[in-house]
């Protein structure tokens, strides 16, 4: 079975680091610990200062991106409202056309019924002697 050697290398690096600080402190563990903490703090602050987006530049970038995002949202809302207005107008026009077509069919049906009714009336009247 093969085992990962990463823990071995990490352990060796840790022992080497402890050995370095003990050697530079002259064997005094308290001094070595303080030096290690000071170095860790210095490295941490240096890393944090080099991160992009810190301080005033981050604030300016955030404002710029916020303004761009706001403009995009406003643009999208405007487009959506325009499309909704167009769809509403189209729906109203379609409804108006459908209503007029339906009314035309109803009028045609009424005329046909009236014509057939007058024919039937004259036919029934002739049966009872009231013909023309």
């Amino acid at each position: 079975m093969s085992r990962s050697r990463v823990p071995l290398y990490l352990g060796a690096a840790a022992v080497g680091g402890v050995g370095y600080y003990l050697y530079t402190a002259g064997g005094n563990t308290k001094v070595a610990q303080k030096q290690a903490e000071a170095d860790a703090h210095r490295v941490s602050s240096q890393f944090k200062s080099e991160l992009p987006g810190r301080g005033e530049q981050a604030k300016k970038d955030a404002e710029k991106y916020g303004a761009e995002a706001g403009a995009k949202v406003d643009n999208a809302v405007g487009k959506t409202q325009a499309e909704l207005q167009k769809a509403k107008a189209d729906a109203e026009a379609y409804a108006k056309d459908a209503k007029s077509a339906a009314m035309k069919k109803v009028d045609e049906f009424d005329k046909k019924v009236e014509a057939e009714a007058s024919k039937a009336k004259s036919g029934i009247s002739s049966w009872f002697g009231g013909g023309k």
Side-chain angles (χ1 to χ4, degrees):
M1 286 193 246
S2 66
R3 297 176 92 187
S4 177
R5 294 186 181 193
V6 173
L8 177 67
Y9 295 139
L10 289 176
V15 169
V18 169
Y20 167 77
Y21 283 108
L22 280 174
Y23 178 75
T24 57
N28 189 344
T29 57
K30 298 258 186 218
V31 174
Q33 182 181 4
K34 294 291 181 189
Q35 284 179 344
E37 288 174 0
D39 287 346
H41 179 70
R42 187 181 68 229
V43 168
S44 173
S45 65
Q46 193 175 34
F47 179 73
K48 286 180 182 177
S49 68
E50 291 178 4
L51 283 176
R54 301 278 297 176
E56 291 297 317
Q57 185 63 31
K59 187 176 180 181
K60 290 177 186 176
D61 288 345
E63 289 174 359
K64 181 179 86 171
Y65 293 133
E68 288 176 4
K72 287 181 182 178
V73 168
D74 291 343
N75 188 16
V77 167
K79 284 182 180 179
T80 303
Q81 287 178 343
E83 289 175 8
L84 286 175
Q85 290 295 331
K86 183 181 177 196
K88 182 181 175 185
D90 290 347
E92 288 174 354
Y94 179 75
K96 186 177 178 182
D97 290 344
K99 182 180 177 184
S100 68
M103 292 304 290
K104 185 177 179 183
K105 292 290 184 184
V106 167
D107 288 342
E108 288 175 8
F109 179 75
D110 281 347
K111 286 181 184 176
K112 184 177 180 183
V113 168
E114 287 175 10
E116 294 294 323
S118 74
K119 278 186 193 178
K121 185 178 179 184
S122 68
I124 291 175
S125 295
S126 66
W127 288 353
F128 297 108
K132 292 182 181 178

